[in-house]
Amino acid sequence: MATITERDLAATIDHAILKPELTRADVDAELDIAAEWRVFSVCVRPSDIAHAVARLDGTGVAVGTVIGFPHGTTSTAAKVAEVRQALADGATEFDMVVNIGALRSGFDDVVTADIAAVVAAASGHVTKVILETSLLDDEQIARGSRLTEAGGADFVKTSTGFAGGGATVPHVELMRANVGPGVQVKASGGVRSYADALAMLAAGATRLGTSGSAVILGEARRVDAGGDAVGAVDASSY
């Protein structure tokens, strides 16, 4: 079974802190988890950006946020305004939701222009496009992946985690097959264990969105120490 060290795995994780019901104390607890496990970044609600930047100062954990979340149906102008405010608040990565209805309708020019406008507003910072794969068929996922690349984004991402379903190995593989080497794939939604993480990375993901970072990295730590991860399976079986 392919394995990955705790440190290398942590470097793939965007720790999600996005549930609408979270209190400030809940958010702080999650930010502390991200700092403790030294994940790559947190992905926080837009209203939490400035606080997260201040609390994580000096930890090496980047702060990202969501744009047009969770449905993707806000106007392009609204998405651009969100990016500009998020930049001012200190965010450095942006996970935008694609206009799902436009993608399903075949309005490819609308989808591409929406992505391109957000990418331009991000001013060189990393932009990820969430397709919400549970609401799409394979043709739409493949086309959405290609439109993500056409719009200039850095990543295509599976899910918000708020529409049912989540990342699957076949969808990650499909997305990987439909973008060039300059576009990466983020698996998000339902990535809850070390085994899940291995499977998504083996399928072609290079970033993982999860709120289960402590569980996943705790299992990786046990593997590093020569033990077995709880629920670990051969990634090749996925």
Side-chain angles (χ1 to χ4, degrees):
M1 180 183 70
T3 60
I4 183 171
T5 67
E6 176 196 338
R7 184 69 245 129
D8 287 344
L9 184 55
T12 73
I13 290 177
D14 295 339
H15 185 67
I17 313 175
L18 295 168
K19 292 179 180 178
E21 70 271 22
L22 295 177
T23 65
R24 175 55 60 84
D26 295 330
V27 170
D28 284 348
E30 294 298 322
L31 293 171
D32 291 347
I33 286 170
E36 176 185 356
W37 289 95
R38 297 186 298 161
V39 299
F40 181 82
S41 78
V42 292
C43 189
V44 300
R45 302 172 302 194
S47 58
D48 294 325
I49 295 168
H51 176 71
V53 169
R55 191 172 182 92
L56 293 173
D57 184 43
T59 67
V61 177
V63 176
T65 194
V66 286
I67 304 296
F69 197 82
H71 299 131
T73 51
T74 48
S75 68
T76 297
K79 289 177 179 177
V80 166
E82 281 191 279
V83 173
R84 289 174 177 162
Q85 183 61 55
L87 275 171
D89 289 340
T92 58
E93 297 203 353
F94 305 95
D95 291 30
M96 69 167 286
V97 186
V98 77
N99 187 321
I100 300 165
L103 177 59
R104 286 170 54 99
S105 298
F107 299 158
D108 291 3
D109 289 347
V110 171
V111 172
T112 304
D114 190 52
I115 294 168
V118 169
V119 170
S123 301
H125 291 82
V126 169
T127 305
K128 313 182 193 91
V129 176
I130 307 170
L131 297 184
E132 203 66 282
T133 51
S134 65
L135 302 181
L136 306 176
D137 62 27
D138 284 358
E139 184 279 329
Q140 292 161 349
I141 293 169
R143 182 161 45 84
S145 299
R146 295 192 295 271
L147 296 177
T148 294
E149 183 164 22
D154 302 285
F155 281 80
V156 61
K157 176 179 170 182
T158 56
S159 317
T160 64
F162 290 87
T168 69
V169 164
H171 286 163
V172 170
E173 291 175 338
L174 180 62
M175 292 159 70
R176 179 66 267 163
N178 278 277
V179 294
V183 178
Q184 300 179 62
V185 177
K186 178 175 173 179
S188 183
V191 182
R192 300 188 180 95
S193 71
Y194 180 73
D196 292 336
L198 288 183
M200 297 304 166
L201 295 173
T206 52
R207 196 79 70 83
L208 306 172
T210 182
S211 58
S213 304
V215 171
I216 292 169
L217 294 172
E219 293 181 40
R221 181 171 293 179
R222 286 190 288 274
V223 171
D224 282 354
D228 293 326
V230 177
V233 297
D234 187 343
S236 67
S237 68
Y238 277 70

Short mmCIF file of all heavy atoms in Angstrom, two decimals, residues 165-194:
data_model
loop_
_atom_site.label_atom_id
_atom_site.label_comp_id
_atom_site.label_asym_id
_atom_site.label_seq_id
_atom_site.Cartn_x
_atom_site.Cartn_y
_atom_site.Cartn_z
N GLY A 165 -23.40 14.13 -1.25
CA GLY A 165 -22.30 13.51 -1.97
C GLY A 165 -20.97 14.12 -1.56
O GLY A 165 -20.82 14.67 -0.48
N GLY A 166 -20.02 14.06 -2.45
CA GLY A 166 -18.69 14.56 -2.16
C GLY A 166 -17.72 13.99 -3.16
O GLY A 166 -18.11 13.49 -4.22
N ALA A 167 -16.45 14.07 -2.85
CA ALA A 167 -15.41 13.59 -3.77
C ALA A 167 -15.49 12.07 -3.92
O ALA A 167 -15.70 11.35 -2.94
CB ALA A 167 -14.04 13.99 -3.26
N THR A 168 -15.34 11.62 -5.14
CA THR A 168 -15.20 10.18 -5.42
C THR A 168 -13.98 9.97 -6.28
O THR A 168 -13.57 10.88 -7.02
CB THR A 168 -16.42 9.61 -6.16
OG1 THR A 168 -16.46 10.15 -7.51
CG2 THR A 168 -17.73 9.94 -5.45
N VAL A 169 -13.40 8.80 -6.18
CA VAL A 169 -12.23 8.50 -6.99
C VAL A 169 -12.52 8.62 -8.48
O VAL A 169 -11.75 9.25 -9.22
CB VAL A 169 -11.66 7.12 -6.62
CG1 VAL A 169 -10.70 6.62 -7.68
CG2 VAL A 169 -10.96 7.19 -5.26
N PRO A 170 -13.63 8.05 -9.00
CA PRO A 170 -13.89 8.21 -10.44
C PRO A 170 -14.01 9.66 -10.88
O PRO A 170 -13.54 10.03 -11.97
CB PRO A 170 -15.21 7.45 -10.63
CG PRO A 170 -15.23 6.43 -9.55
CD PRO A 170 -14.60 7.12 -8.38
N HIS A 171 -14.62 10.51 -10.06
CA HIS A 171 -14.74 11.92 -10.44
C HIS A 171 -13.39 12.62 -10.42
O HIS A 171 -13.11 13.45 -11.30
CB HIS A 171 -15.73 12.63 -9.52
CG HIS A 171 -17.16 12.29 -9.79
ND1 HIS A 171 -18.17 12.54 -8.90
CD2 HIS A 171 -17.74 11.71 -10.88
CE1 HIS A 171 -19.32 12.14 -9.42
NE2 HIS A 171 -19.09 11.63 -10.61
N VAL A 172 -12.57 12.32 -9.43
CA VAL A 172 -11.23 12.92 -9.40
C VAL A 172 -10.44 12.48 -10.63
O VAL A 172 -9.76 13.30 -11.28
CB VAL A 172 -10.50 12.55 -8.10
CG1 VAL A 172 -9.02 12.95 -8.17
CG2 VAL A 172 -11.17 13.22 -6.90
N GLU A 173 -10.52 11.22 -10.96
CA GLU A 173 -9.82 10.72 -12.15
C GLU A 173 -10.33 11.40 -13.41
O GLU A 173 -9.54 11.76 -14.31
CB GLU A 173 -9.99 9.21 -12.26
CG GLU A 173 -9.25 8.44 -11.17
CD GLU A 173 -9.52 6.95 -11.21
OE1 GLU A 173 -10.56 6.53 -11.77
OE2 GLU A 173 -8.70 6.19 -10.67
N LEU A 174 -11.65 11.60 -13.50
CA LEU A 174 -12.24 12.24 -14.67
C LEU A 174 -11.78 13.69 -14.79
O LEU A 174 -11.42 14.17 -15.88
CB LEU A 174 -13.76 12.18 -14.57
CG LEU A 174 -14.58 12.80 -15.70
CD1 LEU A 174 -14.28 12.09 -17.03
CD2 LEU A 174 -16.08 12.73 -15.38
N MET A 175 -11.74 14.37 -13.68
CA MET A 175 -11.28 15.76 -13.69
C MET A 175 -9.81 15.85 -14.08
O MET A 175 -9.42 16.69 -14.90
CB MET A 175 -11.52 16.38 -12.31
CG MET A 175 -13.00 16.54 -11.99
SD MET A 175 -13.36 16.67 -10.23
CE MET A 175 -12.70 18.27 -9.84
N ARG A 176 -9.00 14.96 -13.51
CA ARG A 176 -7.57 14.94 -13.83
C ARG A 176 -7.35 14.69 -15.33
O ARG A 176 -6.45 15.29 -15.95
CB ARG A 176 -6.89 13.86 -12.99
CG ARG A 176 -5.40 13.67 -13.19
CD ARG A 176 -4.60 14.87 -12.73
NE ARG A 176 -4.35 15.83 -13.81
CZ ARG A 176 -3.97 17.07 -13.60
NH1 ARG A 176 -3.79 17.54 -12.39
NH2 ARG A 176 -3.77 17.88 -14.63
N ALA A 177 -8.17 13.84 -15.91
CA ALA A 177 -8.01 13.48 -17.32
C ALA A 177 -8.42 14.60 -18.27
O ALA A 177 -8.08 14.56 -19.45
CB ALA A 177 -8.82 12.22 -17.64
N ASN A 178 -9.16 15.59 -17.76
CA ASN A 178 -9.69 16.63 -18.63
C ASN A 178 -9.05 17.99 -18.44
O ASN A 178 -9.53 18.98 -18.99
CB ASN A 178 -11.20 16.72 -18.44
CG ASN A 178 -11.94 15.68 -19.25
OD1 ASN A 178 -12.19 15.87 -20.43
ND2 ASN A 178 -12.23 14.55 -18.62
N VAL A 179 -7.96 18.05 -17.69
CA VAL A 179 -7.18 19.28 -17.60
C VAL A 179 -5.72 18.96 -17.87
O VAL A 179 -5.27 17.81 -17.71
CB VAL A 179 -7.32 19.95 -16.21
CG1 VAL A 179 -8.74 20.45 -16.01
CG2 VAL A 179 -6.92 19.01 -15.08
N GLY A 180 -4.98 19.96 -18.28
CA GLY A 180 -3.57 19.79 -18.55
C GLY A 180 -2.75 19.81 -17.28
O GLY A 180 -3.26 20.02 -16.18
N PRO A 181 -1.46 19.61 -17.41
CA PRO A 181 -0.58 19.54 -16.24
C PRO A 181 -0.49 20.84 -15.45
O PRO A 181 -0.07 20.82 -14.30
CB PRO A 181 0.79 19.16 -16.85
CG PRO A 181 0.70 19.55 -18.29
CD PRO A 181 -0.73 19.36 -18.68
N GLY A 182 -0.89 21.94 -16.04
CA GLY A 182 -0.84 23.21 -15.34
C GLY A 182 -2.00 23.45 -14.40
O GLY A 182 -2.00 24.44 -13.65
N VAL A 183 -3.00 22.57 -14.43
CA VAL A 183 -4.16 22.70 -13.55
C VAL A 183 -4.17 21.51 -12.59
O VAL A 183 -4.03 20.36 -13.01
CB VAL A 183 -5.47 22.73 -14.36
CG1 VAL A 183 -6.68 22.81 -13.41
CG2 VAL A 183 -5.47 23.91 -15.31
N GLN A 184 -4.34 21.80 -11.31
CA GLN A 184 -4.37 20.75 -10.30
C GLN A 184 -5.80 20.41 -9.90
O GLN A 184 -6.74 21.14 -10.25
CB GLN A 184 -3.56 21.19 -9.07
CG GLN A 184 -2.10 21.49 -9.41
CD GLN A 184 -1.32 21.95 -8.19
OE1 GLN A 184 -1.17 21.21 -7.22
NE2 GLN A 184 -0.80 23.16 -8.24
N VAL A 185 -5.96 19.31 -9.17
CA VAL A 185 -7.28 18.84 -8.75
C VAL A 185 -7.35 18.83 -7.23
O VAL A 185 -6.44 18.31 -6.57
CB VAL A 185 -7.56 17.43 -9.30
CG1 VAL A 185 -8.91 16.92 -8.80
CG2 VAL A 185 -7.53 17.43 -10.84
N LYS A 186 -8.44 19.39 -6.69
CA LYS A 186 -8.68 19.35 -5.26
C LYS A 186 -9.89 18.46 -4.97
O LYS A 186 -10.97 18.68 -5.52
CB LYS A 186 -8.93 20.76 -4.71
CG LYS A 186 -9.25 20.77 -3.21
CD LYS A 186 -9.37 22.20 -2.68
CE LYS A 186 -9.85 22.24 -1.24
NZ LYS A 186 -9.93 23.62 -0.72
N ALA A 187 -9.69 17.47 -4.13
CA ALA A 187 -10.77 16.58 -3.71
C ALA A 187 -11.32 17.08 -2.38
O ALA A 187 -10.58 17.23 -1.41
CB ALA A 187 -10.26 15.15 -3.56
N SER A 188 -12.62 17.34 -2.34
CA SER A 188 -13.22 17.92 -1.15
C SER A 188 -14.62 17.34 -0.96
O SER A 188 -15.34 17.13 -1.93
CB SER A 188 -13.30 19.44 -1.30
OG SER A 188 -13.83 20.04 -0.14
N GLY A 189 -14.98 17.08 0.28
CA GLY A 189 -16.28 16.51 0.59
C GLY A 189 -16.17 15.03 0.84
O GLY A 189 -15.90 14.27 -0.09
N GLY A 190 -16.31 14.63 2.08
CA GLY A 190 -16.27 13.20 2.41
C GLY A 190 -14.89 12.62 2.57
O GLY A 190 -14.75 11.40 2.70
N VAL A 191 -13.84 13.45 2.57
CA VAL A 191 -12.47 12.96 2.78
C VAL A 191 -12.25 12.98 4.29
O VAL A 191 -11.93 14.01 4.88
CB VAL A 191 -11.44 13.83 2.05
CG1 VAL A 191 -10.03 13.27 2.26
CG2 VAL A 191 -11.78 13.95 0.57
N ARG A 192 -12.41 11.83 4.93
CA ARG A 192 -12.47 11.81 6.39
C ARG A 192 -11.42 10.91 7.04
O ARG A 192 -11.31 10.89 8.27
CB ARG A 192 -13.86 11.35 6.85
CG ARG A 192 -14.99 12.25 6.39
CD ARG A 192 -16.31 11.89 7.03
NE ARG A 192 -17.38 12.76 6.59
CZ ARG A 192 -18.21 12.49 5.59
NH1 ARG A 192 -18.09 11.35 4.92
NH2 ARG A 192 -19.15 13.34 5.25
N SER A 193 -10.69 10.12 6.26
CA SER A 193 -9.73 9.19 6.84
C SER A 193 -8.44 9.19 6.03
O SER A 193 -8.38 9.71 4.91
CB SER A 193 -10.32 7.78 6.85
OG SER A 193 -10.39 7.26 5.53
N TYR A 194 -7.42 8.60 6.63
CA TYR A 194 -6.14 8.42 5.94
C TYR A 194 -6.33 7.64 4.65
O TYR A 194 -5.77 7.98 3.60
CB TYR A 194 -5.18 7.71 6.89
CG TYR A 194 -3.80 7.44 6.36
CD1 TYR A 194 -2.87 8.45 6.19
CD2 TYR A 194 -3.41 6.13 6.07
CE1 TYR A 194 -1.60 8.18 5.73
CE2 TYR A 194 -2.13 5.85 5.62
CZ TYR A 194 -1.22 6.88 5.44
OH TYR A 194 0.04 6.60 4.99
#
